[in-house]
């Protein structure tokens, strides 16, 4: 059967076998998980070891703990027996009883009626819970001396018990017909019978040790509570530190992004500046090469002027023109004198630029651009 389908299969089988008179709404409330919890809890409270319980329930070691009812009193019995003084915390426990007093039922019932305000029929003399009520009263009588030692003579439990003996006039001939002496005698008889029936029980040598055990448990509980509180505080600090670290990381990311954009803008500015320098150099080379910066000269070689540098440039090859195209080209150059005049004027203007005067350079460049455009216009209309 596939993992996780056992409970579903059992639930379906149980619901299908309900009597027909059971409403469908009630059937849907019943599941097989409760049955598995009951069985697993019974094994955990009994004398079934770890591996045997897994073999019986069919659970894997990781999920059996979810099928144990930790609030069930049977699960806490071993710990309670260990604290109470049992050497074998799996031994059978016999409860204190009033039958060991060998007193008539009328006397016992009269004492219970004066001690307990009973309104439930289950606690009546013939009720199903009457033995439980008798065991509780026997335990009160048996531990009355220890309670007085720990809490004082006027504690509420001992005070109610003494008043019940006095008001019911409960006396025992073995105690000289005195109610308080009867209370003390019955406590000794019940305690002796309890120790005889429970040989594994080893009571604490000092009755006040029970208070010390309770105080120790309370101290442990307070320590655990404090540790949990400090753990919560530490968890909050860790979360706050993590949030601050994430905020700082986000701030650093934004700063890196801003720096990246700034570097990108600077790169674009450098590229535009580089293009502008190339364009200015091209214009200066075309109109006035003397304004260009000199190239660094090698050791042992004389510096060359821009004109000599330009003189070494190779002349462009003459285009091959067919005879008919040459005739048409000569006829179309009727405006060549004007264009040559403009070029000469631009060259003269460029030669008149003073390198030390930026203003004269700007105005001269503008005049050169006007003449250059005029030359282009004449060539277009030639």
């Amino acid at each position: 059967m596939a993992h996780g389908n056992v409970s579903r299969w059992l639930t379906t089988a149980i619901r299908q076998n309900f009597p027909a008179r059971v409403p469908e709404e009630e059937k849907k409330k019943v599941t097989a998980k409760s049955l598995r919890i009951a069985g697993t809890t019974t094994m955990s409270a009994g004398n079934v070891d770890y591996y045997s319980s897994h073999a019986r329930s069919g659970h894997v070691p990781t999920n059996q703990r979810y099928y144990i009812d930790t609030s069930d009193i049977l699960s806490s019995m071993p710990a309670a027996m260990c604290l109470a003084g049992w050497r074998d915390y799996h031994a059978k426990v016999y409860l204190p009883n009033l039958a060991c007093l060998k007193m008539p039922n009328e006397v016992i019932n009269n004492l219970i009626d004066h001690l307990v305000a009973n309104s439930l029929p289950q606690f009546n003399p013939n009720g199903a819970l009457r033995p439980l009520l008798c065991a509780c009263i026997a335990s009160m009588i048996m531990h009355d001396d220890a309670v007085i030692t720990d809490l004082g003579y006027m504690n509420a439990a001992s005070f109610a018990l003494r008043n019940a003996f006095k008001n019911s006039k409960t006396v025992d001939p073995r105690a000289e017909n005195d109610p308080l002496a009867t209370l003390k005698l019955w406590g000794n008889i019940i305690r002796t019978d309890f120790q005889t029936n429970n040989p594994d029980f080893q009571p604490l040598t000092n009755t006040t040790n029970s208070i010390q055990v309770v105080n120790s448990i309370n101290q442990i509980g307070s320590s655990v509570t404090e540790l949990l509180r400090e753990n919560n505080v530490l968890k909050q600090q860790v979360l706050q530190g993590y949030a601050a670290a994430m905020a700082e990381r986000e701030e650093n990311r934004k700063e890196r992004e801003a720096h990246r954009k700034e570097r990108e803008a600077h790169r674009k500015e450098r590229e535009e500046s580089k293009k502008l320098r190339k364009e200015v150099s091209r214009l200066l080379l075309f109109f006035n090469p003397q304004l260009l910066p000199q190239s660094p000269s090698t050791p042992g070689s004389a510096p060359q002027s821009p004109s000599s540098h330009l003189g070494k440039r190779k002349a462009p090859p003459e285009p091959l023109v067919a005879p008919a195209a040459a005739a048409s080209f000569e006829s179309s150059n009727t405006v060549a004198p004007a264009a040559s005049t403009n070029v000469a004027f631009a060259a003269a203007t460029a030669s008149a630029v003073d390198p030390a005067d930026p203003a004269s350079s700007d105005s001269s460049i503008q005049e050169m651009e006007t003449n250059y455009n005029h030359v282009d216009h004449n060539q277009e209309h030639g």
Side-chain angles (χ1 to χ4, degrees):
M1 185 173 293
H3 177 69
N5 292 335
V6 177
S7 296
R8 190 179 300 112
W9 184 86
L10 292 175
T11 299
T12 304
I14 292 173
R15 291 176 180 177
Q16 290 178 351
N17 288 276
F18 271 119
R21 64 178 181 275
V22 178
E24 291 295 331
E25 294 77 10
E26 297 297 329
K27 291 181 180 180
K28 293 179 180 179
K29 296 179 181 179
V30 179
T31 63
K33 186 175 182 180
S34 299
L35 298 178
R36 304 185 76 188
I37 290 176
T40 308
T41 303
T42 302
M43 287 190 293
S44 68
N47 212 6
V48 181
D49 58 22
Y50 179 81
Y51 297 101
S52 299
S53 64
H54 282 80
R56 294 185 184 183
S57 65
H59 289 101
V60 296
T62 57
N63 66 346
Q64 191 193 55
R65 63 181 181 275
Y66 299 112
Y67 287 83
I68 298 177
D69 184 9
T70 56
S71 63
D72 189 83
I73 189 172
L74 290 177
S75 301
S76 59
M77 281 300 295
M81 293 174 64
C82 181
L83 290 175
W86 256 266
R87 293 179 297 179
D88 182 8
Y89 50 84
H90 288 297
K92 184 177 179 179
V93 178
Y94 294 91
L95 298 178
N97 63 89
L98 298 176
C100 65
L101 299 176
K102 308 297 186 197
M103 295 295 293
N105 291 334
E106 294 78 7
V107 176
I108 301 298
N109 293 335
N110 184 37
L111 174 64
I112 294 176
D113 292 339
H114 283 80
L115 182 61
V116 179
N118 179 27
S119 61
L120 299 176
Q122 290 83 357
F123 289 109
N124 289 336
N126 296 324
L129 298 180
R130 187 69 173 189
L132 176 62
L133 182 60
C134 293
C136 293
I137 295 177
S139 179
M140 288 184 61
I141 297 174
M142 180 179 68
H143 293 294
D144 184 60
D145 292 341
V147 173
I148 291 176
T149 303
D150 293 336
L151 302 179
Y153 184 77
M154 295 303 295
N155 68 85
S158 299
F159 183 77
L161 191 59
R162 290 194 299 270
N163 285 340
F165 270 83
K166 291 179 182 179
N167 296 333
S168 64
K169 299 179 180 179
T170 302
V171 293
D172 190 326
R174 294 170 293 183
E176 300 178 357
N177 296 326
D178 182 25
L180 298 183
T182 300
L183 172 60
K184 188 174 182 63
L185 175 65
W186 284 10
N188 294 331
I189 295 174
I190 296 173
R191 186 182 305 108
T192 302
D193 180 75
F194 178 79
Q195 293 175 352
T196 302
N197 295 331
N198 299 279
D200 290 319
F201 175 65
Q202 299 293 329
L204 299 175
T205 56
N206 188 358
T207 54
T208 57
N209 287 344
S210 59
I211 298 297
Q212 296 177 6
V213 171
V214 172
N215 292 335
S216 300
I217 294 176
N218 293 335
Q219 185 177 1
I220 293 174
S222 301
S223 301
V224 171
T225 303
E226 183 66 19
L227 290 175
L228 292 176
R229 187 189 66 80
E230 293 179 357
N231 186 28
N232 293 333
V233 173
L234 180 60
K235 186 183 297 184
Q236 293 296 329
Q237 293 177 355
V238 171
L239 293 177
Q240 293 176 0
Y242 177 76
M246 294 301 296
E248 184 178 0
R249 182 181 299 178
E250 182 66 18
E251 186 68 21
N252 294 337
R253 188 190 65 79
K254 292 180 179 180
E255 291 181 0
R256 291 194 299 270
E257 184 67 17
H259 291 166
R260 187 189 65 79
K261 292 181 179 180
E262 184 177 357
R263 290 195 299 270
E264 184 68 17
H266 290 169
R267 185 186 64 79
K268 292 181 179 180
E269 290 179 359
R270 290 194 299 269
E271 290 180 355
E272 293 177 359
S273 178
K274 183 177 180 181
K275 292 180 181 179
L276 181 61
R277 287 197 301 271
K278 287 183 178 180
E279 184 66 19
V280 171
S281 299
R282 186 184 66 80
L283 292 174
L284 291 176
L285 179 64
F286 182 80
F287 292 107
N288 193 355
Q290 295 180 355
L291 296 179
L292 291 174
Q294 296 182 0
S295 59
S297 58
T298 58
S301 63
Q304 298 179 355
S305 62
S307 58
S308 62
H309 177 72
L310 293 175
K312 294 182 180 180
R313 295 175 62 186
K314 295 181 180 180
E318 296 182 359
L320 300 177
V321 183
S328 63
F329 178 75
E330 290 177 356
S331 63
S332 63
N333 282 341
T334 57
V335 295
S340 302
T341 304
N342 290 332
V343 173
F345 176 76
T349 304
S351 61
V353 175
D354 186 4
D357 188 3
S360 63
S361 300
D362 296 338
S363 59
S364 300
I365 291 175
Q366 292 178 359
E367 293 177 1
M368 283 186 267
E369 290 180 352
T370 303
N371 295 330
Y372 181 71
N373 295 332
H374 182 65
V375 171
D376 292 341
H377 178 73
N378 291 335
Q379 290 178 358
E380 289 177 0
H381 293 276

